[in-house]
Amino acid sequence: MEKENIAVGLDIGTTKIVVMIGKKNEYGKLEILGVGKSKSLGVARGVVNNITQTIQSIQQAVLEAENKSGYKINNVVVGIAGQHIRSIQHSDYIIRKNSEEVIAGNDIQLLIDQVNKLAMLPGEEIIHVLPQEYKIDGQSDIKEPIGMYGGRLESSFHVVVGQASSIRNVARCIQSANIELSGLTLEPLASANAVLSQEEKEAGVALIDIGGGTTDLAIFKDGIIRHTAVIPFGGNVITDDIKEGCSIIEKQAELLKVKFGSAWPGENKDNEIVSIPGLRGREPKEISLKNLSKIIHARVVEIIEQVFTEIKEYGHDDPRKKLIAGIVLTGGGAQLNHIKQLVEYITGIDTRIGYPNEHLAGNSDEEISCPLYATAVGLVMNSIENKTQSAVRLEQNTESKTVRLPKVEIIEEEIIKDDIEDKITPPLATTSSKKIFFDLSGYLGKIKEFLDNAE
């Protein structure tokens, strides 16, 4: 009997940690076996700042995913993001000893290894090197050089760089949760694989993933990754603005944003209000939805303008670099009302909301199909592509769980639905594929060596 290829993705975000277990069904679609979600404690703007809390959050999400799926997780593909990530463009070449021999895979690897030796800033390491177009003896725009002849092999590269300490902290958290790290993927690339079609990548598209702590950008053109960036602002900053602007506590601000928030103030009338219960018997507070939208609008405009600056830096104004497929919004922030219209207004580029449901099996839970889970779905797809056997079926669920997680403190969800009384007058109106993956066996080896030496 053929062994099941069970894949696991781990999305360590600023507001939530998601563990997703899945496999391909007979139709080639992704069947989700179990999802575990926990409040992300110890992570700020995509970077671990409290190891103990992060380990507990990972363990809680893992436990929930295992209970729901009936599988024990052995290893995971993890998404890397955070404000420490940056990208550079670099060109390099090699001179081949014998130009009469055809170019082979080892020539490409030699060129990539040469780029991996680039000197970086102190504390930084190259996470991955993504080749773009090749050039052979002056002949340019070659996408596949293997099998051709030539003496000088040259290529432009998209090089992703990050802080070594931040990556090792993530690896340490996963190892301490009794799980192996099988692969690293830049989160915007994982999201892109989940929500973008190959036609969009060929035509030119910008993916904007609005998370809790960061907003990630990935630009594709001619099927190749051209530009990546991480903006250190996300949905949490909007929540903080609401909290300060309305003088309310954070969980009330978050619930206000999710239930009644809009990025377009013109949609709300002056007499639309919501009543917030007072603390400890204090009088309820009434908040105008128009004022709420103005607070959200100001911050979203700032975030989108920074993203648009990165798009212009890529060279969107150049006709050869034009993003014909426009912008795709995903992540939890993409669920904010009227954000699509605001992005179109600021950038002048066609925009749609990206859902990962195209790759999911027809019987998938509706919740998993929302933009919030785009990165997690993309990470599971990466794990499947790499043929990773990440989990095995549990025979005795209870015994395994008790032994594995003796010290996990289950953290209760803090948002209480009854915190806000819905008193609105009048009611508020409602209005495939070539994939890019990280092959980081060498880099993972360095991380494992570092962790072994640290023990």
Side-chain angles (χ1 to χ4, degrees):
M1 183 177 172
E2 192 178 338
K3 212 174 185 181
E4 282 185 306
N5 180 18
I6 307 299
V8 183
L10 171 59
D11 176 15
I12 302 177
T14 304
T15 54
K16 70 181 187 326
I17 288 177
V18 176
V19 174
M20 187 175 284
I21 305 175
K23 65 176 182 178
K24 267 194 176 178
N25 64 14
E26 62 270 31
Y27 306 108
K29 295 292 186 180
L30 184 61
E31 182 182 336
I32 304 302
L33 303 172
V35 178
K37 188 171 75 168
S38 66
K39 190 174 177 64
S40 184
L41 302 174
V43 181
R45 290 183 177 172
V47 178
V48 174
N49 60 9
N50 187 313
I51 292 281
T52 306
Q53 287 184 329
T54 305
I55 292 168
Q56 288 184 345
S57 296
I58 291 172
Q59 286 178 324
Q60 184 190 343
V62 166
L63 181 61
E64 185 182 338
E66 288 182 338
N67 281 333
K68 287 182 178 178
S69 67
Y71 284 82
K72 179 181 181 295
I73 296 171
N74 296 321
N75 56 67
V76 293
V77 170
V78 182
I80 291 291
Q83 55 189 0
H84 64 97
I85 298 291
R86 67 185 183 93
S87 62
I88 56 175
Q89 297 295 125
H90 177 73
S91 294
D92 216 325
Y93 70 93
I94 57 169
I95 303 297
R96 302 179 66 238
K97 291 178 182 177
N98 187 355
S99 60
E100 298 303 314
E101 287 184 2
V102 295
I103 295 170
N106 60 336
D107 293 307
I108 307 294
Q109 192 57 50
L110 189 64
L111 183 54
I112 290 173
D113 290 343
Q114 190 165 295
V115 177
N116 272 306
K117 293 174 185 173
L118 281 175
M120 291 289 114
L121 295 173
E124 282 190 336
E125 285 188 17
I126 293 174
I127 297 174
H128 200 64
V129 174
L130 298 167
Q132 298 185 322
E133 290 97 353
Y134 292 90
K135 189 184 287 186
I136 301 173
D137 292 342
Q139 180 185 346
S140 58
D141 295 333
I142 296 171
K143 289 189 178 181
E144 182 51 82
I146 291 177
M148 300 182 72
Y149 291 90
R152 178 185 168 114
L153 176 63
E154 187 176 353
S155 178
S156 56
F157 293 91
H158 184 77
V159 184
V160 181
V161 181
Q163 286 289 342
S165 58
S166 296
I167 297 165
R168 285 171 181 157
N169 283 336
V170 170
R172 169 63 72 189
C173 290
I174 293 164
Q175 188 187 56
S176 299
N178 300 322
I179 303 169
E180 291 293 321
L181 177 61
S182 65
L184 296 168
T185 301
L186 192 64
E187 288 199 354
L189 291 183
S191 303
N193 288 330
V195 303
L196 298 180
S197 67
Q198 185 60 26
E199 289 78 11
E200 286 177 314
K201 291 179 182 178
E202 291 284 349
V205 65
L207 178 84
I208 303 174
D209 187 342
I210 307 173
T214 60
T215 298
D216 304 329
L217 171 70
I219 297 177
F220 294 82
K221 181 73 175 176
D222 299 325
I224 298 168
I225 183 74
R226 300 294 183 178
H227 187 76
T228 53
V230 177
I231 312 298
F233 299 108
N236 284 2
V237 187
I238 300 171
T239 303
D240 288 342
D241 287 352
I242 296 169
K243 182 180 75 171
E244 299 298 328
C246 298
S247 299
I248 56 179
I249 61 175
E250 186 175 345
K251 62 182 178 181
Q252 290 177 333
E254 177 68 22
L255 200 52
L256 261 182
K257 179 184 74 175
V258 172
K259 292 187 74 174
F260 307 116
S262 169
W264 200 267
E267 288 296 313
N268 300 119
K269 298 182 176 65
D270 292 330
N271 62 342
E272 290 178 327
I273 59 170
V274 62
S275 178
I276 306 290
L279 295 175
R280 294 272 180 179
R282 292 178 178 85
E283 288 295 313
K285 181 171 290 189
E286 291 189 342
I287 293 169
S288 162
L289 291 188
K290 183 175 272 295
N291 289 340
L292 175 67
S293 294
K294 284 179 180 176
I295 293 170
I296 295 172
H297 174 81
R299 181 60 77 177
V300 174
V301 166
E302 182 186 355
I303 293 171
I304 298 304
E305 282 180 345
Q306 288 196 45
V307 174
F308 193 37
T309 299
E310 291 286 345
I311 293 174
K312 287 188 282 191
E313 189 176 306
Y314 149 76
H316 169 64
D317 295 333
D318 185 337
R320 292 172 300 173
K321 296 183 174 182
K322 190 172 178 64
L323 303 178
I324 296 170
I327 291 172
V328 176
L329 296 172
T330 194
Q335 298 176 126
L336 187 63
N337 286 334
H338 306 110
I339 192 167
K340 170 186 176 294
Q341 291 86 337
L342 181 60
V343 172
E344 287 181 334
Y345 178 76
I346 293 172
T347 64
I349 304 173
D350 286 343
T351 304
R352 75 170 177 89
I353 306 297
Y355 298 90
N357 51 4
E358 180 187 338
H359 302 283
L360 296 174
N363 59 350
S364 298
D365 192 329
E366 191 176 334
E367 185 188 5
I368 299 168
S369 302
C370 74
L372 194 71
Y373 291 99
T375 301
V377 170
L379 292 172
V380 175
M381 289 171 61
N382 284 17
S383 184
I384 287 174
E385 185 73 13
N386 295 334
K387 295 181 168 54
T388 310
Q389 181 60 37
S390 300
V392 293
R393 193 180 292 277
L394 276 170
E395 298 299 331
Q396 297 175 327
N397 290 354
T398 312
E399 272 186 31
S400 300
K401 299 299 185 303
T402 308
V403 172
R404 273 198 74 196
L405 299 173
K407 296 181 181 177
V408 173
E409 298 174 12
I410 302 299
I411 305 156
E412 296 295 334
E413 186 66 42
E414 289 187 355
I415 294 178
I416 301 170
K417 296 291 183 184
D418 297 335
D419 269 352
I420 295 180
E421 297 173 8
D422 303 353
K423 296 179 180 176
I424 308 173
T425 311
L428 183 63
T430 56
T431 53
S432 306
S433 306
K434 175 184 173 185
K435 294 179 172 58
I436 297 177
F437 300 103
F438 279 95
D439 180 16
L440 290 181
S441 54
Y443 192 75
L444 286 173
K446 286 195 284 183
I447 292 178
K448 285 173 181 171
E449 184 183 346
F450 170 82
L451 294 174
D452 291 340
N453 293 336
E455 290 177 345

